[in-house]
Amino acid sequence: MSTPSTSPSAPEAGLPAAVFWDMDGTLVDTEPYWITAEHAIVEEAGGVWNDEYAHQLVGNDLMVSAEFIRDNSPVELEPLEIIEELLRRVVVQVQEHVPWRPGALELLDALQAAGVPNALVTMSWRSLADSVVGALPEGTFAAVITGDEVEHGKPHPEPYLAAARALGVEVGDCVAIEDSPTGVRSAVSAGVPTIAVPHVVPVPVTAGAVQVPSLRGLAPADLVSLFDGSRRK
């Protein structure tokens, strides 16, 4: 379920025990890649896809998305075949260019320097997660939780609970970073203080989460101070 690295040193005082990162739309701007792939698959089957449908899939478990595509288009592939075809197309795009979200790499570097471990918690499957993680320095993520390796995907709390177990930390001592309503619900329901960075779709105001417009300029200590109101947006 996870890909551990060597155990990091303990974080400095006043910092989260760990940071849990969503991937698509939070770490990397791959949502346009997914939407392009969805359009192509549906149009090749003789159908018409639209961004309203595409936006309903943002942050979802891939099996849920695949079933939605089958139910709302002429695509007759089995859900697993739809997932594999989507992943194949998105991985090709990522291998050509990894579209990092603003401030993400800088914050990852700063967290590592401060001794805060990072975990990737994504509903994308291992093939895509490995393509993104492989573009980063070895050990950037101390654990990787993917959608094909959990029984229940987001918005269920299981992915974030699995990340906490993998790192041996308490969920309430950590911070999650998410961009979608589905992801925020998953993290908050697991008991993780959550920072929402809305991107492709708006995120409703949610108890247990704060919103920021971007990760650009955020330092590790800000991830805690956001929750005491000192930098609440």
Side-chain angles (χ1 to χ4, degrees), residues 206 208-212 222 225-233:
T206 305
V210 297
Q211 296 198 17
V212 297
D222 296 326
S225 66
L226 279 166
F227 293 92
D228 63 19
S230 62
R231 288 195 51 161
R232 191 179 298 272
K233 304 291 184 184

PDB file of all heavy atoms in Angstrom, residues 206 208-212 222 225-233:
ATOM      1  N   THR A 206     -15.851  23.928   4.537  1.00  0.00           N
ATOM      2  CA  THR A 206     -15.997  22.654   5.242  1.00  0.00           C
ATOM      3  C   THR A 206     -15.375  22.756   6.625  1.00  0.00           C
ATOM      4  O   THR A 206     -14.225  23.211   6.757  1.00  0.00           O
ATOM      5  CB  THR A 206     -15.293  21.525   4.457  1.00  0.00           C
ATOM      6  OG1 THR A 206     -15.805  21.481   3.127  1.00  0.00           O
ATOM      7  CG2 THR A 206     -15.505  20.183   5.129  1.00  0.00           C
ATOM      8  N   GLY A 208     -13.239  21.853   9.597  1.00  0.00           N
ATOM      9  CA  GLY A 208     -12.018  21.062   9.635  1.00  0.00           C
ATOM     10  C   GLY A 208     -11.057  21.374   8.510  1.00  0.00           C
ATOM     11  O   GLY A 208      -9.969  20.809   8.449  1.00  0.00           O
ATOM     12  N   ALA A 209     -11.475  22.284   7.608  1.00  0.00           N
ATOM     13  CA  ALA A 209     -10.611  22.660   6.491  1.00  0.00           C
ATOM     14  C   ALA A 209     -10.556  24.180   6.365  1.00  0.00           C
ATOM     15  O   ALA A 209     -11.526  24.878   6.677  1.00  0.00           O
ATOM     16  CB  ALA A 209     -11.127  22.051   5.187  1.00  0.00           C
ATOM     17  N   VAL A 210      -9.430  24.678   5.918  1.00  0.00           N
ATOM     18  CA  VAL A 210      -9.274  26.092   5.579  1.00  0.00           C
ATOM     19  C   VAL A 210      -8.900  26.173   4.110  1.00  0.00           C
ATOM     20  O   VAL A 210      -8.384  25.220   3.526  1.00  0.00           O
ATOM     21  CB  VAL A 210      -8.209  26.785   6.455  1.00  0.00           C
ATOM     22  CG1 VAL A 210      -8.614  26.770   7.912  1.00  0.00           C
ATOM     23  CG2 VAL A 210      -6.841  26.131   6.280  1.00  0.00           C
ATOM     24  N   GLN A 211      -9.153  27.320   3.494  1.00  0.00           N
ATOM     25  CA  GLN A 211      -8.876  27.480   2.080  1.00  0.00           C
ATOM     26  C   GLN A 211      -7.824  28.550   1.841  1.00  0.00           C
ATOM     27  O   GLN A 211      -7.801  29.576   2.519  1.00  0.00           O
ATOM     28  CB  GLN A 211     -10.151  27.833   1.317  1.00  0.00           C
ATOM     29  CG  GLN A 211     -11.192  26.737   1.367  1.00  0.00           C
ATOM     30  CD  GLN A 211     -12.253  26.874   0.275  1.00  0.00           C
ATOM     31  OE1 GLN A 211     -12.067  27.585  -0.706  1.00  0.00           O
ATOM     32  NE2 GLN A 211     -13.362  26.169   0.439  1.00  0.00           N
ATOM     33  N   VAL A 212      -6.957  28.277   0.888  1.00  0.00           N
ATOM     34  CA  VAL A 212      -5.971  29.253   0.430  1.00  0.00           C
ATOM     35  C   VAL A 212      -6.029  29.281  -1.093  1.00  0.00           C
ATOM     36  O   VAL A 212      -6.397  28.299  -1.732  1.00  0.00           O
ATOM     37  CB  VAL A 212      -4.537  28.911   0.899  1.00  0.00           C
ATOM     38  CG1 VAL A 212      -4.440  28.936   2.416  1.00  0.00           C
ATOM     39  CG2 VAL A 212      -4.087  27.563   0.355  1.00  0.00           C
ATOM     40  N   ASP A 222       3.488  27.745   8.238  1.00  0.00           N
ATOM     41  CA  ASP A 222       2.175  28.264   7.841  1.00  0.00           C
ATOM     42  C   ASP A 222       1.121  27.172   7.822  1.00  0.00           C
ATOM     43  O   ASP A 222      -0.070  27.445   8.007  1.00  0.00           O
ATOM     44  CB  ASP A 222       2.249  28.894   6.446  1.00  0.00           C
ATOM     45  CG  ASP A 222       3.158  30.109   6.388  1.00  0.00           C
ATOM     46  OD1 ASP A 222       3.209  30.837   7.395  1.00  0.00           O
ATOM     47  OD2 ASP A 222       3.796  30.327   5.342  1.00  0.00           O
ATOM     48  N   SER A 225      -0.158  27.359  11.317  1.00  0.00           N
ATOM     49  CA  SER A 225      -0.743  28.645  11.717  1.00  0.00           C
ATOM     50  C   SER A 225      -2.028  28.956  10.969  1.00  0.00           C
ATOM     51  O   SER A 225      -2.869  29.719  11.461  1.00  0.00           O
ATOM     52  CB  SER A 225       0.268  29.780  11.512  1.00  0.00           C
ATOM     53  OG  SER A 225       0.570  29.978  10.143  1.00  0.00           O
ATOM     54  N   LEU A 226      -2.232  28.365   9.799  1.00  0.00           N
ATOM     55  CA  LEU A 226      -3.500  28.550   9.091  1.00  0.00           C
ATOM     56  C   LEU A 226      -4.692  28.166   9.953  1.00  0.00           C
ATOM     57  O   LEU A 226      -5.767  28.743   9.830  1.00  0.00           O
ATOM     58  CB  LEU A 226      -3.507  27.700   7.805  1.00  0.00           C
ATOM     59  CG  LEU A 226      -2.796  28.262   6.586  1.00  0.00           C
ATOM     60  CD1 LEU A 226      -2.612  27.168   5.544  1.00  0.00           C
ATOM     61  CD2 LEU A 226      -3.574  29.432   6.010  1.00  0.00           C
ATOM     62  N   PHE A 227      -4.500  27.197  10.836  1.00  0.00           N
ATOM     63  CA  PHE A 227      -5.613  26.684  11.615  1.00  0.00           C
ATOM     64  C   PHE A 227      -5.833  27.437  12.912  1.00  0.00           C
ATOM     65  O   PHE A 227      -6.829  27.210  13.603  1.00  0.00           O
ATOM     66  CB  PHE A 227      -5.418  25.186  11.879  1.00  0.00           C
ATOM     67  CG  PHE A 227      -5.508  24.370  10.626  1.00  0.00           C
ATOM     68  CD1 PHE A 227      -4.374  24.070   9.901  1.00  0.00           C
ATOM     69  CD2 PHE A 227      -6.731  23.955  10.149  1.00  0.00           C
ATOM     70  CE1 PHE A 227      -4.447  23.343   8.718  1.00  0.00           C
ATOM     71  CE2 PHE A 227      -6.827  23.239   8.960  1.00  0.00           C
ATOM     72  CZ  PHE A 227      -5.686  22.934   8.255  1.00  0.00           C
ATOM     73  N   ASP A 228      -4.932  28.377  13.259  1.00  0.00           N
ATOM     74  CA  ASP A 228      -5.192  29.181  14.457  1.00  0.00           C
ATOM     75  C   ASP A 228      -5.700  30.574  14.079  1.00  0.00           C
ATOM     76  O   ASP A 228      -5.835  31.441  14.933  1.00  0.00           O
ATOM     77  CB  ASP A 228      -3.953  29.277  15.359  1.00  0.00           C
ATOM     78  CG  ASP A 228      -2.771  29.991  14.697  1.00  0.00           C
ATOM     79  OD1 ASP A 228      -2.978  30.720  13.716  1.00  0.00           O
ATOM     80  OD2 ASP A 228      -1.633  29.804  15.182  1.00  0.00           O
ATOM     81  N   GLY A 229      -6.000  30.744  12.786  1.00  0.00           N
ATOM     82  CA  GLY A 229      -6.599  31.998  12.351  1.00  0.00           C
ATOM     83  C   GLY A 229      -5.594  33.048  11.963  1.00  0.00           C
ATOM     84  O   GLY A 229      -5.968  34.099  11.425  1.00  0.00           O
ATOM     85  N   SER A 230      -4.289  32.812  12.192  1.00  0.00           N
ATOM     86  CA  SER A 230      -3.315  33.848  11.925  1.00  0.00           C
ATOM     87  C   SER A 230      -3.115  34.109  10.445  1.00  0.00           C
ATOM     88  O   SER A 230      -2.674  35.165  10.056  1.00  0.00           O
ATOM     89  CB  SER A 230      -1.967  33.485  12.565  1.00  0.00           C
ATOM     90  OG  SER A 230      -1.455  32.285  12.015  1.00  0.00           O
ATOM     91  N   ARG A 231      -3.466  33.065   9.594  1.00  0.00           N
ATOM     92  CA  ARG A 231      -3.346  33.281   8.155  1.00  0.00           C
ATOM     93  C   ARG A 231      -4.579  32.761   7.441  1.00  0.00           C
ATOM     94  O   ARG A 231      -4.534  32.417   6.271  1.00  0.00           O
ATOM     95  CB  ARG A 231      -2.100  32.584   7.598  1.00  0.00           C
ATOM     96  CG  ARG A 231      -0.809  33.226   7.984  1.00  0.00           C
ATOM     97  CD  ARG A 231       0.307  32.714   7.133  1.00  0.00           C
ATOM     98  NE  ARG A 231      -0.047  32.822   5.708  1.00  0.00           N
ATOM     99  CZ  ARG A 231       0.852  32.796   4.735  1.00  0.00           C
ATOM    100  NH1 ARG A 231       2.123  32.680   5.002  1.00  0.00           N
ATOM    101  NH2 ARG A 231       0.473  32.875   3.478  1.00  0.00           N
ATOM    102  N   ARG A 232      -5.699  32.687   8.127  1.00  0.00           N
ATOM    103  CA  ARG A 232      -6.909  32.141   7.532  1.00  0.00           C
ATOM    104  C   ARG A 232      -7.341  33.006   6.362  1.00  0.00           C
ATOM    105  O   ARG A 232      -7.364  34.222   6.438  1.00  0.00           O
ATOM    106  CB  ARG A 232      -8.016  32.069   8.573  1.00  0.00           C
ATOM    107  CG  ARG A 232      -9.220  31.268   8.112  1.00  0.00           C
ATOM    108  CD  ARG A 232     -10.273  31.212   9.211  1.00  0.00           C
ATOM    109  NE  ARG A 232      -9.743  30.546  10.399  1.00  0.00           N
ATOM    110  CZ  ARG A 232      -9.801  29.239  10.592  1.00  0.00           C
ATOM    111  NH1 ARG A 232     -10.345  28.484   9.681  1.00  0.00           N
ATOM    112  NH2 ARG A 232      -9.332  28.725  11.699  1.00  0.00           N
ATOM    113  N   LYS A 233      -7.702  32.343   5.256  1.00  0.00           N
ATOM    114  CA  LYS A 233      -8.122  33.059   4.045  1.00  0.00           C
ATOM    115  C   LYS A 233      -9.638  33.011   3.941  1.00  0.00           C
ATOM    116  O   LYS A 233     -10.229  31.993   4.253  1.00  0.00           O
ATOM    117  CB  LYS A 233      -7.481  32.406   2.794  1.00  0.00           C
ATOM    118  CG  LYS A 233      -5.968  32.349   2.888  1.00  0.00           C
ATOM    119  CD  LYS A 233      -5.355  33.710   2.809  1.00  0.00           C
ATOM    120  CE  LYS A 233      -3.822  33.620   2.803  1.00  0.00           C
ATOM    121  NZ  LYS A 233      -3.172  34.887   2.822  1.00  0.00           N
TER     122      LYS A 233
END
